[in-house]
Amino acid sequence: MTYDSSNVFARILKGEIPCKKLHEDAHSLAFPDISPKADLHVLVLPKGSYVDFSDFTQNASDEEIVAWVRAINVVAQQHGMDKTGFRLIVNQGANGGQEVPHLHAHVLGGQKLGSMLPE
Ligand code: AMP
């Protein structure tokens, strides 16, 4: 899939739409989800233009991949979720229910999250 540079996260990364930065490094940015699904719900993005996890895994540099994985844990640590527990979700494509075509991890916690999928 071709990267759509007008998607909402691309616009946040370009500074066209504001966000509350919780973490930023050379390759990653984290901010709260605008419509939280748990008491803590943070999104962690690579800054590079990657549509989804498969695109990122195949085309990102090792440095970008390491930065994104580490940024996820920095966010978990910021909120004590590394101790209390959390869930990572990466939606991809139609079956995954991905809405925004720029890779992002959902970091969810701050409460018991229940079953992995609706029953
Ligand atoms: P996904 O379905 O995995 O693509 O998730 C997209 C997420 O982006 C949803 O949970 C939205 O609530 C969130 N979202 C959309 N626009 C914004 C925004 N401007 N700031 C923060 N989160 C957003």
Side-chain angles (χ1 to χ4, degrees):
M1 184 199 277
T2 311
Y3 184 81
D4 167 15
S5 58
S6 67
N7 77 73
V8 64
F9 293 165
R11 296 189 63 203
I12 287 174
L13 288 164
K14 283 186 269 189
E16 294 172 2
I17 296 175
C19 74
K20 181 183 167 196
K21 289 181 189 176
L22 296 175
H23 171 75
E24 183 172 20
D25 60 50
H27 298 294
S28 315
L29 178 67
F31 50 86
D33 195 291
I34 203 168
S35 177
K37 304 294 187 296
D39 288 349
L40 295 170
H41 186 174
V42 179
L43 302 175
V44 185
L45 285 58
K47 288 184 173 176
S49 301
Y50 301 105
V51 175
D52 57 23
F53 186 79
S54 293
D55 181 19
F56 185 65
T57 305
Q58 291 170 73
N59 298 311
S61 66
D62 290 356
E63 194 175 317
E64 290 174 293
I65 293 170
V66 168
W68 183 64
V69 173
R70 291 226 163 105
I72 290 169
N73 197 53
V74 166
V75 164
Q77 286 179 314
Q78 277 177 347
H79 296 86
M81 290 189 278
D82 57 324
K83 304 284 191 303
T84 55
F86 62 96
R87 182 172 295 162
L88 288 183
I89 294 178
V90 176
N91 295 319
Q92 176 159 326
N95 279 1
Q98 183 179 4
E99 294 169 5
V100 180
H102 181 114
L103 173 63
H104 50 284
H106 298 257
V107 185
L108 297 147
Q111 63 175 88
K112 296 254 188 212
L113 293 167
S115 60
M116 194 159 57
L117 292 173
E119 289 164 18

